[in-house]
Amino acid sequence: MAAQFGRRLRKGAATTAVAAVAVAALSASQAPGVNDHGRQTAADATPSPEANASDGSATGNSPYYTDLPPLKSPNPSPSTGPGPGGTGATESGIPATVLDAYKKAESTLREAKPGCHLPWQLLAAIGRVESGQARGGRVDAEGTTIKPILGPQLDGNGFALIKDTDDGAYDGNSSYDQAVGPMQFIPSTWAWAGRDGNDDGKKDPNNIYDAALAAGHYLCRNNWDLSQQGDLDRAILSYNNSRDYLNLVMRWLEYYRKGTHEVPDGTGTLPDNRSDDGAGASPTPTTPGTTTPAGSTPRPGPKPGKPGKPGKPAGGGTTTPKPPTTPPSTPSTPPTTPPTPTDTVDHLEDAGTAKLTAMAGDAFARRISTRAETEAGKAVAKVRVRFTIVGDTDTTFTGGEDVATVATNSSGVAVAPALQAGEKTGTVTVRATVVGRAVPGLDYKATVTERAADALARTGDAALTCAPGGTFANQVEVKATYKGAVADGVAATATLIKSADDPTVTDKGPYFKDADGKTVRTLTGLKTDAKGLLKLPELYADDTTGTFLLRVTAAGGATLTVELTVAAAETSSPSPSASPSA
């Protein structure tokens, strides 16, 4: 939701001026300084001349929430603080599924538009200002809002005038457009900016994964580099053409950059103030899932009646008031929101994951499978399970990410993407957790072994011979394979041994030279190249003649023994002299 720049809101000029003064005073009290990267915030920086020039607005300049970030640290303990509508830890936290959507969008844009440098914290700042992080994270396992989030109809009555462009397909309004979803896109913008962020084949503005990715692409257009303040200003102003909006988004951006944490879905703090309210005004409190749509006016209750006049006393006495003819109505019980599938998850179980082992650099053949279950052991479908690779390792999921989120299928099973082993060997831990639900995680162990070869062979068959004290004319080159495929990056050693039955290092015969020219007969730290080839350094011979053995051993147990011959050059016999003529 976003306020139109340079126009009066329906509260009138006087109220707007008072609100502006109040916001400015609060803003000044919270003005962030230079951030960790040395870049000034929008409130302190002088924008470029064209920073206010917008090429349209993602939101149609609808109203937005004006709540400022808390003054306290953005790193409270996630285990403290009240729930929705309150303040405390939840105010700095971001609902789990919403946070996952922002980070996934950043990861996608990092690959698709690396020059944009989109930080997920910018999406979080806009999501906070536009919808209060999807109304405190009231989304289902697929990331779709429990109820649609709609801005006011843009009928020109205090807002922009945008007549219907989608025949009510997104906003249900066939007369005027309304901003839709957690990132508040108007239908005409969504028509070209919409994206499918959760790979379900649909582009839904009410889905946080779709909306976050669309917002990322929208902010990254025009070749903007968001690490540059000028382009960052332009991008934010294009989302909503208001200097107050720019300042507010920048404050939330800096706040989230200092740190945040995830909170369970549906427990995020709901904003109180909007840009079309009077200064300090707060909307009628609502419960998650029943929030009045942005821009709509709560229906007023009945006006209280005037107090009755006291009756005259008769004969100097007093009259006893009559009891009401009908008993007072019993307060109605507020409606309750039915539990989501995520709410019913009690624990996670392994769903038949086999032993996870792979050589460094290879993809794991097996994948992790996790089942979400109720307390009674019943499978729960449509629950998002997050798989996180923890610890010091360079093993990742396919695509290079260390976090992946997958929804459970009809059998309650979520299958993680394939693991890609890095170069660090040892045990890798992958932790499965339920997004939006505080249940114990489930750890899986994966083992990365060193690269191996099961066969070594010479690449040539030329004889390896040398005269005493000379240099071998041909160098030894071998090729390593594993199950018939090239074995690249395999560690190897080369040793000149005493005999086939005695693999200890010989003290005479052929030798290598180290960097200082000294004699060495064992080479370690060797490794095959990308083609599985290993070419040994030049070999030299001392004065000892005979047949010698060079043994090459590769990780995985493959060995190759090569014969070396040191022999004196043969001398030819002189031809017999011719007999004298008779």
Side-chain angles (χ1 to χ4, degrees):
M1 296 178 282
Q4 185 171 345
F5 180 69
R7 61 169 172 77
R8 294 183 180 180
L9 295 176
R10 59 186 176 188
K11 295 295 183 179
T15 303
T16 303
V18 173
V21 171
V23 172
L26 286 170
S27 298
S29 70
Q30 302 187 46
V34 177
N35 64 23
D36 295 340
H37 304 287
R39 182 173 65 241
Q40 290 180 301
T41 64
D44 304 315
T46 301
S48 54
E50 63 271 32
N52 286 328
S54 171
D55 58 355
S57 167
T59 66
N61 293 326
S62 300
Y64 56 91
Y65 289 111
T66 59
D67 296 49
L68 291 164
L71 290 170
K72 60 188 176 183
S73 167
N75 290 300
S77 169
S79 62
T80 61
T87 58
T90 54
E91 193 160 7
S92 62
I94 299 175
T97 297
V98 179
L99 179 60
D100 186 61
Y102 295 151
K103 291 185 175 181
K104 184 176 180 182
E106 179 198 54
S107 175
T108 301
L109 267 297
R110 188 186 307 125
E111 181 176 347
K113 297 184 178 181
C116 178
H117 301 109
L118 172 79
W120 67 260
Q121 292 91 340
L122 176 59
L123 297 176
I126 291 176
R128 170 72 192 197
V129 170
E130 293 295 345
S131 67
Q133 310 297 20
R135 289 194 182 141
R138 295 300 300 171
V139 296
D140 63 18
E142 303 299 326
T144 303
T145 57
I146 301 299
K147 292 186 177 181
I149 300 177
L150 295 174
Q153 66 175 15
L154 301 174
D155 56 6
N157 183 22
F159 309 108
L161 174 60
I162 304 178
K163 293 187 177 182
D164 176 62
T165 61
D166 66 329
D167 198 24
Y170 294 117
D171 54 16
N173 189 335
S174 58
S175 298
Y176 301 95
D177 272 352
Q178 294 175 250
V180 182
M183 302 304 279
Q184 287 291 278
F185 279 96
I186 55 174
S188 58
T189 303
W190 184 260
W192 61 265
R195 295 292 191 280
D196 178 14
N198 62 346
D199 300 321
D200 65 352
K202 297 181 295 184
K203 299 176 183 178
D204 182 3
N206 284 300
N207 181 277
I208 185 59
Y209 287 93
D210 294 359
L213 183 59
H217 277 280
Y218 185 90
L219 294 165
C220 285
R221 69 197 194 286
N222 298 330
N223 292 320
W224 282 329
D225 178 357
L226 301 186
S227 66
Q228 302 299 316
Q229 187 66 49
D231 282 356
L232 181 60
D233 288 354
R234 294 180 187 91
I236 297 172
L237 285 168
S238 78
Y239 213 90
N240 175 289
N241 195 10
S242 163
R243 174 61 54 180
D244 287 340
Y245 181 89
L246 169 61
N247 291 346
L248 183 61
V249 169
M250 281 302 304
R251 295 190 188 286
W252 279 106
L253 169 59
E254 297 302 323
Y255 182 78
Y256 287 134
R257 273 179 170 154
K258 292 175 183 175
T260 186
H261 59 272
E262 71 176 43
V263 296
D265 289 344
T267 66
T269 301
L270 301 179
D272 292 323
N273 304 292
R274 298 194 324 153
S275 59
D276 58 341
D277 292 328
S282 297
T284 303
T286 56
T287 57
T290 61
T291 306
T292 303
S296 61
T297 304
R299 182 175 297 177
K303 295 182 179 180
K306 295 182 180 180
K309 295 182 180 180
K312 291 183 179 181
T318 60
T319 59
T320 303
K322 294 181 179 181
T325 56
T326 57
S329 60
T330 304
S332 60
T333 303
T336 58
T337 303
T340 65
T342 301
D343 296 331
T344 67
V345 177
D346 176 75
H347 59 274
L348 294 174
E349 289 285 344
D350 176 42
T353 302
K355 185 177 180 181
L356 299 168
T357 303
M359 284 197 306
D362 288 352
F364 283 75
R366 304 283 185 175
R367 295 165 68 179
I368 295 172
S369 297
T370 301
R371 184 171 55 252
E373 296 183 354
T374 65
E375 186 176 5
K378 183 179 179 181
V380 185
K382 296 183 179 181
V383 172
R384 298 193 74 81
V385 176
R386 178 181 295 132
F387 298 95
T388 305
I389 299 172
V390 298
D392 182 18
T393 179
D394 55 356
T395 291
T396 65
F397 291 112
T398 303
E401 299 299 321
D402 57 9
V403 177
T405 306
V406 181
T408 57
N409 59 20
S410 58
S411 301
V413 176
V415 180
L419 285 166
Q420 177 68 39
E423 295 302 320
K424 293 182 179 179
T425 59
T427 302
V428 177
T429 299
V430 181
R431 182 164 299 149
T433 55
V434 179
V435 175
R437 180 77 170 162
V439 298
L442 185 61
D443 285 355
Y444 294 85
K445 301 297 182 182
T447 302
V448 180
T449 61
E450 64 179 342
R451 293 172 182 259
D454 57 12
L456 294 173
R458 281 189 64 193
T459 58
D461 56 5
L464 298 168
T465 60
C466 179
T471 303
F472 284 81
N474 298 308
Q475 290 179 250
V476 177
E477 184 181 67
V478 299
K479 182 175 183 178
T481 55
Y482 182 79
K483 295 182 179 179
V486 168
D488 61 315
V490 177
T493 60
T495 307
L496 290 152
I497 60 176
K498 290 183 177 179
S499 69
D501 298 325
D502 185 359
T504 56
V505 183
T506 185
D507 57 358
K508 57 184 177 180
Y511 61 91
F512 300 104
K513 291 182 180 180
D514 65 12
D516 297 325
K518 296 180 179 178
T519 298
V520 292
R521 289 188 168 90
T522 298
L523 297 178
T524 60
L526 304 174
K527 189 170 288 188
T528 60
D529 64 14
K531 296 180 180 180
L533 299 176
L534 174 63
K535 191 171 187 177
L536 299 182
E538 282 187 316
L539 277 164
Y540 303 88
D542 60 15
D543 293 334
T544 309
T545 60
T547 300
F548 303 89
L549 298 180
L550 168 66
R551 179 163 292 172
V552 181
T553 304
T559 62
L560 174 68
T561 303
V562 180
E563 284 192 358
L564 307 172
T565 302
V566 179
E570 293 184 5
T571 58
S572 57
S573 301
S575 57
S577 57
S579 57
S581 323

